[in-house]
Amino acid sequence: MNTISPSTFYKEEASNYELTVRVIKAQNIHGGDVVTKPDCYVCLWLPTSLADKKRTKTIWNNPNPVWDEIFHFRLHSQVKNILDLSIHDEDVGTSDDHLFTVSYDVGNVPLNEKVVENFSLDKEFQTELQVELNLVVIPETQKKVTTNGVLVCPEMVTLQVEVPKKRKEPFKKKTELALSVQGSFEDSHRILLQSDSSSELDSHDTAVFHFSRDLGTEMTASLCRVYSPFDVTFSNDTENDSSNQTIVPLNLISPMENEISVQIPAMEGKPLDVQIKLNECPEELDVRLGFDLCDKEKIFLQKRQRLVADALKKVLGLEEDLVGEEIPVVAVMATGGGARAMASLSSHLCGLQNIGLLDCVTYIASASGSTWTTSKLYEDPNWSQNNMSEAINNVKKHMTKNKLNTFSMSRLKYYRKELKQAAKDGQKSSFTDLWGLILESMLYNKKNEFKLSDQQAALDNGQNPLPIYLAINVKQDKISTLDFKEWCEFTPYEVGLLKYGAFIRTEDFWSEFYMGRLMKKHPEPRICFLQGLWGNVFSLNLVDTWYLTTQTDTFWDTWIKDKIKDIDEGSIRVRRESAHTKTSLITPDGTLSGILKGVLTNRPIDGEQHNFLRGLYLHKDYYQQPQFTPWKDSNLDIFPNLLTPLADNLCLVDAGYFINASFPPLLRQARKVDVIISFDYTLDTPLQSVEQTCQYCTTQGIGFPKVSLSEEERKTHKECYVFNDKDNDNCPTVLHFPLVNDTFQKFKEPGVLRSPEEMSDGDVDVTGAFSPYFLTNFTYSERDFDRLMKLTQYNLANNRELILDALRTAVQRRKARSRSCDVPQTQEQKKT
């Protein structure tokens, strides 16, 4: 296995294989219909070879069907190739019953040796499926491919199809050339061969397709009649008539060859001659593959270090300057919490400035409602160098204003106009975008043209901490967030899916990618659309709501979830050194459960974004890479055919659904964070996020301090908790600040008691259902807003010494580590 360092992509030697699959027979099949015998067929899906599925013929009325059909697939040696074999019971008049799916790792097949597998589908009824597989190397296909150990970028080629103008002679009836290349970026093109010269279609006589050279791709071409120049309609005699289609296997054509002439049969008259040619594409990628930081962030860190070193020297009273690796990395982590989080984070950042600690911070990570604060602050390139009281006043103005105008007729017309423009710009407009526009109305007084990449101006000289915004990628329907979620981080420099090590420029978010290349550039979204995405409290499905309410997934696991079983059981041997994925049997639930699952998992008001991993493959050893960090309960991570690279779209939602925190980006090894100041804005469970993060990190092997709390600590919350691991230098110290009202009730400032007349000012309700700061409240009274500001700043100032102690310890650790690196090693130490 190739284990890589978390630096960047590299090149690997690769070949192509040909896989032959012979579907032989099945026995003792029990169909979905208890009255009649099953009418079975088998579907074969190998998406790393072909974009579409293949299937056998149907064997009618037979529980022991014999197919004996052969299928061929072209494979890439460095890609994780998983063959899904699904058995279906065909029904007339209703949808077919899906009985079983076997998920089989082709890496299990030895080279140049036929293997017969008998897959046990149901031991009770002795149900089996028998398949023969044979894998051979295709000669002279050795090449180098780009990979980061988790993703593989295949070789891209373009197919150019041209209709020579001299051959665009008139047909008796209006005709068009329909072209399709399944698995290509474009999928299909059409060229109108006879129309008015003013027709837009008539001016295009060349079609271009982008696709993977490694796929067993075919071009399908046919001539079809057109009945209306405005509404292209295929005649009944050509629409499904494969005899009128010309199929060209593209893997037989070399990019080195000259143009090839292909004849397309016509229904009447002469056939049409077209010229086709394959061209190689440049190797440069627009998707950055790697687990290291991007160059722009590295440059920012160098500039920020100087300011942080000066601030630490001042606040800690150090005699010597801190240099290089001696300078610790301090980060702020903020949870979600709607408008409460937005207001409180503003107050906390102001509080850090007041006690001289804001310039010590390198990163600010936020999720959900807290993202609304940072995205607003960074419109000012020097916000952290200015007095933050002005920023607080700005938040107060919008938090206390009347928001009825948000739903006025003029605003509704504005929303409609902006959504139309977003759709024109290439975005799949949804309720998430509408929610972003509503937030814009509540947080701003006018249309805000600011974009996330514009925040780079606030980082040019390292004058502010680097903001990081967190979301999670989920499946839009059929699969619960309990089973699948992936961290996605946004910075002014990049947007990336962390576990795949794949990033794009922030300016290119909303654009379309394929095989690591930027294919269609769309305008970058305005910041309001991202605010709606990061803080969309309405994109829950019913299963998410159940989980958040009960913190249990028993109902989902017991009644709704597909049953997945390992059927290797020693009979299916690991025959090659390639990383082996266990053979799994997936048994879908019945029709009623399927309907219930659809109701429970559907996200009717979620949005979709273009998937910048589209066209990339998972490496054959992806699951063994330490950088690939799935959730422990994400069963899909062992099913590469269902993971994000094979999805057409992303479904990015609020990160607060399961861990209402923004820790993950700060725990990336490359960021080397030493101290995390954690601000938790949850009302009822202010310690849950840090406990869940600890559990997640323990499972994944990520450095995070142990969070162990007594029952008393859970009941009576402190103003600040310090979690650390003194024996682990790779583990950050976490100072966790819940939103609590403790000593503030008696002290208006640290060490200054309240007078009897001032006692009412300390009565701030941040618990219970009747708190004025409940999640869906977006309008506070001035008194409630001011009290929340004073409470949060007081809690921070009252625990200043705890923060300073953590910073001193971080400096000492850094210095000790730096000195140990400078000490020459003995020969024995070098051997060790």
Side-chain angles (χ1 to χ4, degrees), residues 2 9-13 143-147 153 283:
N2 239 341
F9 63 86
Y10 59 98
K11 295 284 186 177
E12 271 188 353
E13 294 286 341
K143 68 187 81 173
K144 287 185 178 291
V145 296
T146 301
T147 179
C153 183
E283 291 189 2

Side-chain angles (χ1 to χ4, degrees), residues 113-323:
E113 179 184 336
K114 290 184 179 179
V115 172
V116 176
E117 301 283 19
N118 291 289
F119 299 112
S120 175
L121 307 180
D122 190 325
K123 281 191 173 182
E124 181 182 352
F125 296 102
Q126 295 184 328
T127 305
E128 288 188 349
L129 172 66
Q130 188 178 81
V131 177
E132 180 186 83
L133 305 105
N134 187 24
L135 192 68
V136 298
V137 178
I138 300 175
E140 301 178 358
T141 59
Q142 197 75 13
K143 68 187 81 173
K144 287 185 178 291
V145 296
T146 301
T147 179
N148 65 354
V150 172
L151 294 174
V152 174
C153 183
E155 178 187 3
M156 177 188 272
V157 293
T158 61
L159 171 68
Q160 181 175 307
V161 184
E162 183 176 357
V163 180
K165 292 183 178 180
K166 64 179 181 179
R167 292 299 301 142
K168 290 184 68 176
E169 57 192 41
F171 287 82
K172 291 183 179 179
K173 296 182 179 180
K174 291 182 179 180
T175 306
E176 73 165 5
L177 173 63
L179 301 164
S180 67
V181 176
Q182 286 196 327
S184 67
F185 172 75
E186 295 79 5
D187 189 55
S188 63
H189 280 298
R190 55 195 179 98
I191 300 174
L192 196 60
L193 301 177
Q194 180 186 6
S195 69
D196 297 333
S197 58
S198 60
S199 170
E200 181 182 349
L201 289 175
D202 190 45
S203 62
H204 297 284
D205 56 3
T206 300
V208 177
F209 295 91
H210 296 78
F211 63 96
S212 170
R213 178 69 177 147
D214 302 314
L215 289 178
T217 308
E218 299 173 335
M219 181 191 79
T220 302
S222 61
L223 293 172
C224 308
R225 292 174 183 169
V226 181
Y227 289 93
S228 166
F230 305 105
D231 183 15
V232 177
T233 306
F234 298 99
S235 62
N236 292 332
D237 54 351
T238 62
E239 184 178 10
N240 297 311
D241 188 357
S242 60
S243 63
N244 289 318
Q245 295 180 341
T246 299
I247 299 176
V248 181
L250 299 178
N251 60 292
L252 301 180
I253 303 174
S254 169
M256 305 300 293
E257 296 181 31
N258 295 324
E259 288 186 345
I260 298 174
S261 181
V262 176
Q263 282 194 339
I264 313 298
M267 295 184 62
E268 52 190 28
K270 297 179 181 179
L272 177 69
D273 290 326
V274 299
Q275 303 295 321
I276 66 172
K277 180 175 174 56
L278 284 186
N279 298 303
E280 293 181 345
C281 292
E283 291 189 2
E284 292 80 9
L285 302 182
D286 300 302
V287 174
R288 185 176 70 84
L289 298 180
F291 294 88
D292 201 0
L293 306 178
C294 68
D295 291 339
K296 287 186 176 181
E297 184 170 340
K298 291 177 182 177
I299 294 171
F300 159 80
L301 290 175
Q302 292 174 356
K303 296 177 179 179
R304 183 66 180 173
Q305 266 192 337
R306 295 193 290 269
L307 193 148
V308 169
D310 291 341
L312 285 171
K313 181 180 179 181
K314 181 178 179 181
V315 76
L316 296 179
L318 302 177
E319 295 181 359
E320 298 179 350
D321 292 338
L322 297 174
V323 294

